[in-house]
Amino acid sequence: MKIATQNQAFFPQGILEKFSYIKKMGFDGFEIDGKLLVDNLAEVKAAIRETGLPVVTACGGYDGWIGDFIEERRLNGITQITRILEALAEVGGKGIIVPAAWGMFTYRLPPMTSPRSVQGDRIAVSDSLSRLDEVARRTGTIIFLEPLNRYQDHMINTLADARRYIDEGGYQNVRIIGDFYHMNIEEDDLSGALNTQRDLLGHVHIADNHRYQPGSGCIDFKKHFDTLRANNYDGWVVYECRVRADDPAAAYRQSLAFLRQC
């Protein structure tokens, strides 16, 4: 399994130092913040050449969600995501992780009444995906559509929800990302969902059930990794988690060692 990581607070701040640290820790790749990539493209290219550590994908680094309630912010997000995809193409990155929104609204907490209709949500997200699908085709990249749990987003919560957008839109460069943390909340059967959506599953994020490092909670990673292997999943598995430990660097290494045995 190819395992990469996002940034962590205990990683070095310098770009070359960060890449070197990640590689030395034992990871196979780096999922970079989109703004960090765009703003430091030459330095990122140099770090890749120096260390041999690839930039796998981008996550975050833009303002405005593809399903944003505010139209100006949605369009601004599309513009920024476009720049990130263009930068990813220059460094050989695979694509960008894109949820419909994060922390914008939830039906599970007051006021529980959305300022926009369900149909309005679908129109906004579909229009954004249509625009970005064209950019992804042009740049040879992928939009990884991410379902989030019900407390963080009200539009796309399961892998099946994401698939509906892709099937209905006929997008050629949009795939599904499965995040174990969100799936643990939303899916009836995590491995079952990975299996059912295997043809569109292009990327995986991992954290344990409480969002801390894998191996520190109760998710059965071996079972779900076996499912991915049985389905010939050839994409990346990327750490997106907090770290709970007195020595976060040691805990991170232990977690990676644990996953290598799964």
Side-chain angles (χ1 to χ4, degrees):
M1 203 73 72
K2 299 179 297 183
I3 303 177
T5 183
Q6 293 184 357
N7 192 40
Q8 289 287 350
F10 59 88
F11 289 0
Q13 292 302 304
I15 290 176
L16 176 58
E17 293 78 10
K18 192 186 303 290
F19 273 68
S20 298
Y21 186 86
I22 291 169
K23 184 172 183 179
K24 185 176 180 181
M25 187 166 274
F27 286 97
D28 305 311
F30 182 32
E31 182 167 279
I32 197 167
D33 175 84
K35 189 174 189 304
L36 180 68
L37 172 63
V38 170
D39 290 350
N40 302 275
L41 185 55
E43 198 172 350
V44 170
K45 287 181 178 179
I48 294 171
R49 287 194 302 269
E50 178 74 19
T51 64
L53 185 80
V55 164
V56 175
T57 37
C59 186
Y62 54 90
D63 303 308
W65 306 111
I66 64 169
D68 215 298
F69 290 146
I70 299 173
E71 183 68 359
E72 181 180 4
R73 202 160 57 193
R74 181 179 75 88
L75 296 176
N76 184 56
I78 292 171
T79 298
Q80 292 176 332
I81 292 169
T82 296
R83 293 187 188 127
I84 295 168
L85 289 173
E86 291 168 346
L88 280 168
E90 290 197 43
V91 299
K94 205 175 168 187
I96 187 169
I97 287 75
V98 178
W102 180 86
M104 188 173 73
F105 173 76
T106 172
Y107 286 116
R108 301 300 176 178
L109 296 170
M112 299 182 184
T113 301
S114 175
R116 186 172 62 198
S117 69
V118 172
Q119 182 61 21
D121 287 342
R122 295 201 67 79
I123 289 171
V125 173
S126 296
D127 179 75
S128 296
L129 289 174
S130 294
R131 295 172 188 241
L132 292 173
D133 187 50
E134 292 180 9
V135 176
R137 281 202 299 268
R138 170 169 61 81
T139 55
T141 56
I142 298 292
I143 303 297
F144 294 107
L145 185 59
E146 182 175 25
L148 304 183
N149 71 76
R150 70 195 76 173
Y151 304 104
Q152 296 180 2
D153 176 46
H154 69 291
M155 290 175 275
I156 302 177
N157 301 129
T158 65
L159 303 196
D161 291 340
R163 184 184 192 102
R164 182 182 170 196
Y165 275 96
I166 297 170
D167 287 347
E168 291 182 356
Y171 309 122
Q172 299 301 304
N173 285 60
V174 181
R175 296 292 183 270
I176 299 170
I177 166 177
D179 183 302
F180 280 21
Y181 169 72
H182 297 298
M183 294 178 71
N184 181 66
I185 297 171
E186 294 297 336
E187 303 288 354
D188 295 335
D189 179 347
L190 200 156
S191 266
L194 293 172
N195 184 59
T196 300
Q197 310 303 338
R198 62 189 179 277
D199 59 321
L200 286 179
L201 184 71
H203 200 62
V204 170
H205 274 174
I206 52 170
D208 225 310
N209 62 290
H210 42 27
R211 190 46 115 182
Y212 290 103
Q213 69 270 22
S216 63
C218 60
I219 288 181
D220 188 343
F221 284 93
K222 185 178 188 313
K223 173 183 177 181
H224 306 316
F225 277 22
D226 283 347
T227 298
L228 292 173
R229 281 187 284 261
N231 290 332
N232 297 314
Y233 174 75
D234 61 357
W236 286 84
V237 172
V238 179
Y239 271 62
E240 186 185 48
C241 65
R242 303 182 184 94
V243 183
R244 181 156 63 188
D246 292 334
D247 184 343
Y252 220 53
R253 292 188 187 93
Q254 290 167 4
S255 175
L256 181 58
F258 159 75
L259 282 187
R260 295 294 189 193
Q261 299 301 314
C262 288

